[in-house]
Amino acid sequence: MATAGRGEWSGKLGFILAAAGSAIGLGNIWRFPYTAGENGGGAFVLVYLFFVLVIGIPVVLAELSIGRFAKLNPVGALKKIAPGTKWSWLGGLGVLTGFGILAFYSVVAGWTLSYLWGALTGHASDVTSAEETAAVFNHLIGGSIMPLVLTAIFMALTIFIVRGGVSGGIERATKILMPTLLVVLIIMAIRSMTLDGGSEGIAYLFKPDFSKLSVGVILAALGQALFSLSLGMGAMITYGSYFPDRENLPQAGIIVAFFDTAIAFLAGLIIFPALFSVGVDPNGGPGLVFVILPSIFAQLPAGNLFAVAFYFLLAIAALTSTISLLEVVVSYFVDEKQWDRKKAALWIGLACFGMAVPSALSQGAVGGLTDFLGTGISFLDLQNIIWGNYSLSFGALMLCIFVGWKWGIPAALGSLESSGHRLAVGGFWSILVRYVCPVAVGAILVYIIITQQYF
Ligand code: PFF
């Protein structure tokens, strides 16, 4: 369990960009809009925002406090803080969840490569109506060879970067790519909001209709907040473990959470106005972004150029997230099992590709996977719900109990503030971590188990 020579970010900005790179990804631009659309819009968005503030930010700080203190992977960190207990199992669940998320995330990330290719070769503006773009999308994901090839390419890119260690390359790349992503998204949001009928989309996103609230909507909002902030599975423990001792960690964590939420809202402001302007149902499911955006590009002057920039940045945003997912699993094998980093990245990446195969084939290619075990949803959607909603929620719940009740707030706060920078709302944080998060998340999970409303 060597902690020496693990490397660290060059400074606060390096951490903010790398952690924002983990947080900002398909979760913001793909998952947030379609989940909001499936769950009625405004009411979901409001609950989501509430969860980011009341659960997301406190859990970001809880995970970072563990990482900074232990300077280890999630399993090693919990073992170090609570030796001789079973708490390291929670780290183990996090590592497993990272593997589970990567196995479906890389499939969707693969789709972005096909769209990038289409834009680069000038085909992005060939189809204009939403029916045509939907047909293109269904043809792509319903195939059997292409989804597998694209997933393999994306997994290979992830393995390649994680093999070499992330801090230098990722840090350097994210410093340019993240600000560029922000600018491209802002321009697209302005274009979308000024489309005819666009204001209806803004109203859909921000005017809550509380009759749409249900336990399912609340769990979806909680899962989305945790997924988007990369929480509940130790990614922030791992990234926090590379944080330089002298810098202000609480502030950096809060900035990452705001940045992540801003990007999700921007994505919403691109998708929903466009959707209403072309009269497409917001409840379109996971294909939403891939069907609607191409028809906006077709209407933009220099739309193909925008399409290239957008899909390139989307693929990069996804890559900086897949790297953090694989990094959690690799750091466990490197720290705890003394595997060579290169070997770990390769074998874990290959195994994960194997797990990704059923998800890649579940969008029409294989009937038994498309409606998996009679659940009415595809294998990919099921993985998304199991790992992305349930496991992250359970993980966040247990991490709060660990920090609030086992390790203790004074020690955790001491770790967060070890550079001498105070967390001004430390007392409030303590209440959220000890009481509010466990009760709220626990109540949602228990209610779902009792009522058996799993999806
Ligand atoms: N936060 C990423 C996104 O929104 O796309 C997904 C993710 C990355 C979840 C890393 C969890 C994680 F540990």
Side-chain angles (χ1 to χ4, degrees), residues 22-28 101 105 227-231 233 235 321 324-325:
S22 169
I24 296 167
L26 298 173
N28 307 61
I101 292 179
Y105 197 96
F227 185 89
S228 190
L229 291 166
S230 301
L231 296 177
M233 50 154 279
S321 298
S324 70
L325 288 162

